[in-house]
Amino acid sequence: MNTETVYLAGGCLWGVQAFIKTLPGVVTTEAGRANGTTIELDGDYDGFAECVKTTFDPTKISITDLMNYLFEIIDPYSINKQGVDEGPKYRTGIYSEHPQHLEEAQAFINQRLDKARIAVEVLPLNNYIKSVDEHQDRLDKHPEDISYCHIHPELLNKYI
């Protein structure tokens, strides 16, 4: 199977990972952080966006499909905020090492009626750091944390 990888940021990564991994054509997911500059001594990630490394089968799901799904779980007009989470690490975006992914994502955004207000970044992947084990598949391990998540629980099982 031929796979490709994109990095999807949609606010708190716990819910985003729980949602993305249920999508048809998604092969694996990994919680992480993308497009930041440095890791601080206190463990904070300067400038990084919480994201989900998404490996998918392009014969079953496209970047346009992934963008449609991402737009189901985010407010694309919100800057650095999703649900109760605020700050630059909760910004929305799609990051990739493949220019064609970014072109397809930008085309998706350009088709939106209010594209001038959309705050979703479409950028080349700059840096990626895998999150610690306790953040991997967090909602599977701690379903009670769903109350903290900005994604409605019904969406987490919509595509299973």
Side-chain angles (χ1 to χ4, degrees):
M1 169 184 10
N2 182 31
T3 61
E4 298 179 12
T5 302
V6 295
Y7 302 77
L8 302 172
C12 178
L13 54 80
W14 299 347
V16 176
Q17 183 180 30
F19 177 75
I20 295 293
K21 74 181 189 175
T22 68
L23 302 179
V26 170
V27 178
T28 62
T29 60
E30 178 181 272
R33 290 166 172 68
N35 282 32
T37 53
T38 59
I39 300 173
E40 303 297 325
L41 292 176
D42 63 359
D44 198 14
Y45 299 91
D46 188 30
F48 282 83
E50 290 195 5
C51 72
V52 176
K53 179 180 178 181
T54 305
T55 303
F56 64 99
D57 178 345
T59 66
K60 295 182 179 175
I61 191 168
S62 68
I63 294 297
T64 298
D65 295 332
L66 287 168
M67 293 295 291
N68 267 313
Y69 290 125
L70 181 65
F71 272 48
E72 277 190 60
I73 61 170
I74 65 168
D75 174 353
Y77 305 110
S78 183
I79 298 171
N80 297 335
K81 182 179 185 330
Q82 291 296 313
V84 298
D85 295 314
E86 291 189 56
K89 72 180 183 176
Y90 299 114
R91 67 189 184 270
T92 55
I94 178 171
Y95 313 106
S96 180
E97 297 173 305
H98 304 285
Q100 70 273 17
H101 291 168
L102 302 177
E103 290 170 14
E104 193 173 336
Q106 193 61 58
F108 174 89
I109 288 172
N110 289 343
Q111 294 172 358
R112 296 296 173 266
L113 293 175
D114 205 354
K115 66 183 175 197
R117 288 187 45 229
I118 292 177
V120 179
E121 294 181 330
V122 178
L123 296 170
L125 181 68
N126 187 16
N127 291 322
Y128 174 75
I129 299 170
K130 179 182 175 182
S131 288
V132 296
D133 286 344
E134 72 181 68
H135 289 291
Q136 302 301 326
D137 300 307
R138 173 75 183 201
L139 294 183
D140 290 342
K141 299 172 197 169
H142 301 281
E144 68 277 6
D145 288 346
I146 189 63
S147 63
Y148 175 80
C149 186
H150 72 281
I151 299 172
H152 193 279
E154 289 177 9
L155 285 173
L156 297 179
N157 297 315
K158 184 175 179 180
Y159 298 104
I160 293 179

